[in-house]
Amino acid sequence: MKIFCPKCQSKYEVDNQYSGMNVECPNCKTSFKVNDMSRIENIEDKVNSFIEKMTLDDQDGSVLQKTYRKVEKLLTKNETIEYIALQKKLLFNIAPDSIVLTNRRIIILNVGILGTVNIWDVIWRDLIDAKLNIGILRASITLHTRKGTCFIGNLLKTPASRAYAILQEQEERTAEERRQREIEEKRAAAGGVVINTPQELQWGNSSTPQGDGIAAMRQLKDMLDAGLITQGEYESKRQSLLSRF
């Protein structure tokens, strides 16, 4: 069976009799338990399949593999890589930068010629806007975030377009989440009123005095103007209040 060290990622092949036993990595001397090795092999297969799909976008498989392994070490629990777009510079492409999109954030790797790596990342919630510029030979992506602006150029057109599509989807999703949070904050500032049923509004019942009903109508209109309720909700609650006068 094939196993790998969880610390240094060195791979080995051992007899099945070691299943469930603790072994020591000859390379880094880390002790670890040999558990479900078939699952480890499946993970490797999935990674290779994922990288192979990205090579169909005319990206270098060996560079994708190296980039994936670098970013893999940065991932938090349950964070997964969704796409990688590599630079392909027109002249020297020895150490290309890359933009990596996970299910939680955007990561940009700036790789130096000597192997140094500078990492810039931002969570999806902080993405404000993404711009794609497709030139004659290459494309570029500009990110406007709450952390500032970041730019990556010399991307092939297809990988850049695929990355941009994911950025747009996430931008729309985070914008909607942001809008919902703002509505909840406004509702909380207005006293925590939630539009559901007339009883939950606690604006009274059929015995509510007319003065209270008029005040409730004004409050309802204020909530509409503040964007706390929709026009449809406003009309429904307004008719309900009018029927009580």
Side-chain angles (χ1 to χ4, degrees):
M1 69 175 71
K2 293 180 180 179
I3 65 173
F4 76 98
C5 173
K7 183 175 181 180
C8 68
Q9 307 296 312
S10 297
K11 295 179 176 62
Y12 308 99
E13 189 159 345
V14 299
D15 293 334
N16 292 336
Q17 66 184 22
Y18 287 97
S19 181
M21 299 174 60
N22 287 327
V23 297
E24 183 180 271
C25 173
N27 184 43
C28 67
K29 306 304 180 183
T30 297
S31 178
F32 62 96
K33 187 175 183 178
V34 179
N35 44 31
D36 187 1
M37 292 300 103
S38 62
R39 175 177 173 271
I40 293 175
E41 291 175 7
N42 285 337
I43 291 174
E44 287 296 309
D45 290 341
K46 288 179 181 179
V47 170
N48 292 333
S49 177
F50 175 69
I51 291 174
E52 185 177 352
K53 287 180 181 179
M54 289 186 290
T55 60
L56 298 177
D57 296 334
D58 198 27
Q59 300 199 89
D60 189 314
S62 62
V63 180
L64 284 169
Q65 187 79 241
K66 291 178 182 178
T67 303
Y68 188 98
R69 295 307 178 190
K70 288 176 182 176
V71 176
E72 189 179 35
K73 299 175 182 178
L74 307 174
L75 300 180
T76 59
K77 186 177 181 180
N78 297 325
E79 184 177 16
T80 57
I81 299 173
E82 295 188 349
Y83 194 75
I84 300 173
L86 301 173
Q87 277 187 334
K88 192 168 185 180
K89 301 172 185 177
L90 295 175
L91 297 177
F92 299 101
N93 200 50
I94 299 175
D97 295 340
S98 58
I99 177 170
V100 182
L101 306 178
T102 78
N103 60 330
R104 292 183 176 174
R105 53 182 165 155
I106 307 164
I107 303 173
I108 293 182
L109 300 182
N110 299 117
V111 182
I113 298 177
L114 299 178
T116 58
V117 179
N118 291 319
I119 300 169
W120 182 93
D121 72 326
V122 63
I123 58 176
W124 285 112
R125 188 171 64 246
D126 289 339
L127 175 65
I128 299 173
D129 183 45
K131 299 292 185 184
L132 171 67
N133 180 44
I134 299 179
I136 298 174
L137 299 175
R138 294 290 185 268
S140 64
I141 292 177
T142 303
L143 303 172
H144 300 285
T145 75
R146 296 182 187 276
K147 288 180 64 175
T149 300
C150 190
F151 171 88
I152 179 168
N154 286 315
L155 300 171
L156 291 175
K157 296 179 183 180
T158 298
S161 297
R162 293 193 189 281
Y164 180 70
I166 297 174
L167 287 164
Q168 285 295 291
E169 291 175 3
Q170 288 287 357
E171 185 181 333
E172 292 172 3
R173 189 175 297 121
T174 53
E176 177 61 22
E177 291 174 356
R178 196 177 298 122
R179 189 184 75 84
Q180 290 298 329
R181 283 199 304 273
E182 290 174 353
I183 289 176
E184 292 303 322
E185 289 172 358
K186 288 179 180 179
R187 282 177 173 169
V193 177
V194 178
I195 301 299
N196 281 311
T197 64
Q199 289 75 18
E200 288 176 337
L201 290 174
Q202 297 182 352
W203 285 345
N205 50 36
S206 57
S207 62
T208 302
Q210 184 175 1
D212 291 344
I214 294 173
M217 289 284 286
R218 288 174 178 168
Q219 183 182 2
L220 186 65
K221 183 63 168 61
D222 289 341
M223 293 179 72
L224 174 66
D225 294 339
L228 301 179
I229 58 176
T230 65
Q231 184 67 38
E233 288 173 324
Y234 169 75
E235 291 297 336
S236 175
K237 303 306 177 186
R238 187 175 72 88
Q239 291 298 327
S240 177
L241 287 170
L242 287 174
S243 67
R244 301 179 189 183
F245 288 165

